[in-house]
Amino acid sequence: MALGIRKICTFLEETHIEGGKAAPRSLNIVVVAAIIQNPWSGKGFVENLRPEIIDIAGPLSEEMTRRLLAQMPADKIEACGKAAAVGVNGEIEHASAMIHTLRFGNPFRNAIGGTNYLEFANTRNAPGALLSLPMMHKSENGKRSHFLTANFQIADAPHPDEIVIAIAAADGGRPHARIADRFQDIAEMEAELSRG
């Protein structure tokens, strides 16, 4: 592929029992991770990252989104997120550059009908490291039931001169969510202050 993709990995997770109690319905999570050659590898400190971002981020997001939607239809998706992990020869900025652009985020967000920003993580890792991809509700940013994390590993990635780029989606929140939403906290704390 012209995008420098070495491989794409898809992870499917179904949770049926949580905390020893059957879930009202299974929670399904899909992660699509692409391993690409770091386009800035071996070039020393690169001041302007824009040309590679413009060339790669949009088409890569479109390809990954297509694959994710083949596993979970857009109308089933409630939570989403993104992550990038650069190999040890790269900068954290290289990982960030590929996912912190509307060129990457918009194709995914638009395809699933999302209105929130995409929850994210960017880090540096060795091959086989456990990667964590945080998610939140695609349109309700205070909905804590949908604060989820997808964990995954790729045995041979990222190589020192690669970047792992991933997106994830879930078709629900935590099976037995029972903590208040952010807006309930705000209302309660404001009421406490007004009484105080």
Side-chain angles (χ1 to χ4, degrees), residues 36-112:
I36 68 166
Q37 178 66 32
N38 183 339
W40 303 286
S41 180
K43 297 181 179 178
F45 186 87
V46 178
E47 195 67 43
N48 181 12
L49 307 180
R50 297 290 301 158
E52 292 82 2
I53 293 169
I54 290 168
D55 286 347
I56 297 170
L60 182 61
S61 178
E62 289 169 8
E63 175 64 20
M64 294 171 68
T65 298
R66 182 184 67 76
R67 290 170 180 265
L68 187 144
L69 293 178
Q71 301 295 324
M72 182 178 289
D75 64 346
K76 300 290 187 194
I77 294 172
E78 295 184 13
C80 56
K82 62 187 177 180
V86 69
V88 294
N89 287 349
E91 297 177 47
I92 296 290
E93 194 71 2
H94 298 163
S96 298
M98 284 298 161
I99 62 170
H100 294 306
T101 170
L102 295 178
R103 296 172 191 277
F104 184 82
N106 280 356
F108 181 36
R109 183 173 25 253
N110 293 341
I112 65 172

Side-chain angles (χ1 to χ4, degrees), residues 2-195:
L3 299 174
I5 297 173
R6 176 166 68 85
K7 75 159 120 174
I8 297 178
C9 301
T10 302
F11 303 91
L12 307 172
E13 177 183 300
E14 296 178 22
T15 300
H16 299 281
I17 298 172
E18 178 68 24
K21 181 179 178 181
R25 65 180 178 93
S26 65
L27 171 65
N28 300 286
I29 295 175
V30 177
V31 177
V32 174
I35 298 93
I36 68 166
Q37 178 66 32
N38 183 339
W40 303 286
S41 180
K43 297 181 179 178
F45 186 87
V46 178
E47 195 67 43
N48 181 12
L49 307 180
R50 297 290 301 158
E52 292 82 2
I53 293 169
I54 290 168
D55 286 347
I56 297 170
L60 182 61
S61 178
E62 289 169 8
E63 175 64 20
M64 294 171 68
T65 298
R66 182 184 67 76
R67 290 170 180 265
L68 187 144
L69 293 178
Q71 301 295 324
M72 182 178 289
D75 64 346
K76 300 290 187 194
I77 294 172
E78 295 184 13
C80 56
K82 62 187 177 180
V86 69
V88 294
N89 287 349
E91 297 177 47
I92 296 290
E93 194 71 2
H94 298 163
S96 298
M98 284 298 161
I99 62 170
H100 294 306
T101 170
L102 295 178
R103 296 172 191 277
F104 184 82
N106 280 356
F108 181 36
R109 183 173 25 253
N110 293 341
I112 65 172
T115 56
N116 269 342
Y117 72 91
L118 296 169
E119 188 64 270
F120 63 90
N122 36 251
T123 187
R124 182 185 294 111
N125 283 103
L130 181 66
L131 303 176
S132 294
L133 191 161
M135 290 178 276
M136 64 187 291
H137 195 280
K138 68 180 182 180
S139 57
E140 299 178 45
N141 65 6
K143 200 172 179 82
R144 290 190 177 132
S145 58
H146 288 62
F147 289 0
L148 299 161
T149 303
N151 291 315
F152 64 99
Q153 293 173 286
I154 304 169
D156 65 345
H159 289 172
D161 296 319
E162 291 181 329
I163 307 173
V164 174
I165 299 164
I167 57 175
D171 65 359
R174 296 184 308 278
H176 307 301
R178 51 199 188 274
I179 60 173
D181 285 349
R182 183 172 181 268
F183 302 111
Q184 183 178 339
D185 281 358
I186 291 170
E188 287 173 355
M189 292 169 75
E190 286 175 350
E192 289 167 8
L193 283 173
S194 68
R195 288 194 303 267

